[in-house]
Amino acid sequence: LMGRIFKTLGVLKKGHLVECDRAALTGQYVGQTAPKTNKLVDEALDGILFIDEAYSLAKGGQDYGGEAIDTLLKRMEDDRDRLLVIVAGYPREMEEFINSNPGLRSRFNRYIDFPDFEDQELSQIFGSLCRKHGLALTPDMKEKTVHHFHWMARNAKRDSGNGRMVRNTFEKVIHNQADRLSKAGIYDSEALAILEAPDLESPAETDWREYRESGRGYIVKCEFCEATYSWNPAVELPVAQCDQCRRKFNAEFGMLIE
């Protein structure tokens, strides 16, 4: 997206993206790092070089991260009209990374902070992954999903990367579904397309069952005007139209009433 934007603005000729990390930039032996870094920069010319977890380049050890940084800084200066570099990572570590080298501090002076996803957003990402793979959720599974990500958003470790955590959860659910169906001797396509509550191993299992017994129910809010509606996991309504602002909003997953 950034590449297309800068290409449209005339800043970049191609606008393509080259993504890499520390392993792609550094070598194992003396003399390998600079060529590897230069090769990636050459591939990214007239586009964007995106370095994920860039802070790892500034950590100690014998991985030649410092050499990669020095090589990158020189290329950023030499090819400043043809190269856009984006570095990403956790806020505290990235601050240490930027402060590790005066050249980094002078060249990277625009920062964008991406807050963690809220629990409902995590559920929506999970639902999107399920749809992408042709999978449907039973009502119990949808309800349990809400509780799972509600718990995870509040209790997961800061460095867990909660977007990545959703994918890990999805992959574990797929594994559990396959194990469940294999043990039951069920192999038909219909069963393979349905995820059930037991497929999701969750630390919120007890909280979910206690909440159900309380009878408190769930709500869903219009993301545009904050109008609130009741939510029922048994109702298939991925997108709803708000009665107040008349705009359509994501209603696939609800929220707990706290």
Side-chain angles (χ1 to χ4, degrees):
L1 176 61
M2 292 292 291
R4 292 197 297 270
I5 291 174
F6 283 113
K7 180 181 179 181
T8 301
L9 293 174
V11 176
L12 298 171
K13 289 184 179 180
K14 296 180 180 178
H16 63 293
L17 176 74
V18 175
E19 182 176 353
C20 64
D21 58 11
R22 178 191 59 77
L25 291 165
T26 61
Q28 292 181 305
Y29 306 103
V30 175
Q32 291 183 333
T33 295
K36 289 184 70 174
T37 302
N38 279 318
K39 181 177 183 295
L40 284 169
V41 171
D42 289 339
E43 293 175 4
L45 287 178
D46 298 317
I48 296 175
L49 178 65
F50 177 81
I51 307 174
D52 194 17
E53 297 182 344
Y55 53 80
S56 62
L57 290 170
K59 294 187 180 296
Q62 301 300 317
D63 62 358
Y64 305 105
E67 183 181 354
I69 292 174
D70 292 339
T71 304
L72 179 64
L73 289 174
K74 185 177 187 308
R75 291 299 304 272
M76 288 176 67
E77 179 63 27
D78 294 345
D79 298 294
R80 57 185 178 274
D81 295 328
R82 299 185 60 193
L83 180 67
L84 191 153
V85 179
I86 298 175
V87 292
Y90 297 113
R92 186 181 65 193
E93 287 84 348
M94 288 304 293
E95 183 177 0
E96 294 173 356
F97 167 70
I98 294 298
N99 292 329
S100 70
N101 186 306
L104 291 172
R105 199 162 50 244
S106 64
R107 287 170 174 81
F108 292 97
N109 50 26
R110 296 288 186 274
Y111 305 95
I112 302 175
D113 181 49
F114 294 95
D116 284 344
F117 292 110
E118 298 291 338
D119 49 344
Q120 189 177 32
E121 293 173 317
L122 294 173
S123 295
Q124 291 168 356
I125 295 171
F126 181 79
S128 176
L129 285 171
C130 291
R131 288 193 300 276
K132 181 180 178 180
H133 290 81
L135 299 167
L137 281 63
T138 64
D140 280 355
M141 177 58 172
K142 287 178 66 177
E143 186 180 6
K144 190 176 182 180
T145 296
V146 169
H147 282 268
H148 176 77
F149 289 116
H150 177 84
W151 191 96
M152 294 298 290
R154 287 155 179 76
N155 297 282
K157 295 180 180 179
R158 181 196 65 83
D159 61 352
S160 64
N162 66 355
R164 186 185 306 123
M165 175 261 293
V166 177
R167 176 168 290 280
N168 292 339
T169 298
F170 174 77
E171 292 173 352
K172 180 63 175 175
V173 165
I174 296 302
H175 173 81
N176 291 342
Q177 182 217 36
D179 189 51
R180 170 176 59 82
L181 294 177
S182 177
K183 289 179 179 178
I186 302 173
Y187 305 104
D188 63 272
S189 58
E190 184 177 348
L192 288 169
I194 298 175
L195 298 178
E196 299 184 359
D199 299 330
L200 175 58
E201 296 177 11
S202 175
E205 183 87 30
T206 300
D207 293 344
W208 169 45
R209 299 199 179 279
E210 290 179 351
Y211 190 91
R212 294 185 77 176
E213 292 175 2
S214 73
R216 278 182 284 175
Y218 304 88
I219 59 171
V220 64
K221 289 185 178 181
C222 171
E223 60 193 272
F224 303 104
C225 70
E226 295 292 310
T228 302
Y229 304 90
S230 61
W231 179 79
N232 186 335
V235 177
E236 288 292 334
L237 191 66
V239 178
Q241 184 173 35
C242 179
D243 292 334
Q244 295 190 24
C245 69
R246 309 306 299 173
R247 300 178 72 174
K248 293 182 179 179
F249 65 96
N250 192 315
E252 185 176 14
F253 294 94
M255 298 181 289
L256 279 65
I257 299 175
E258 299 182 282

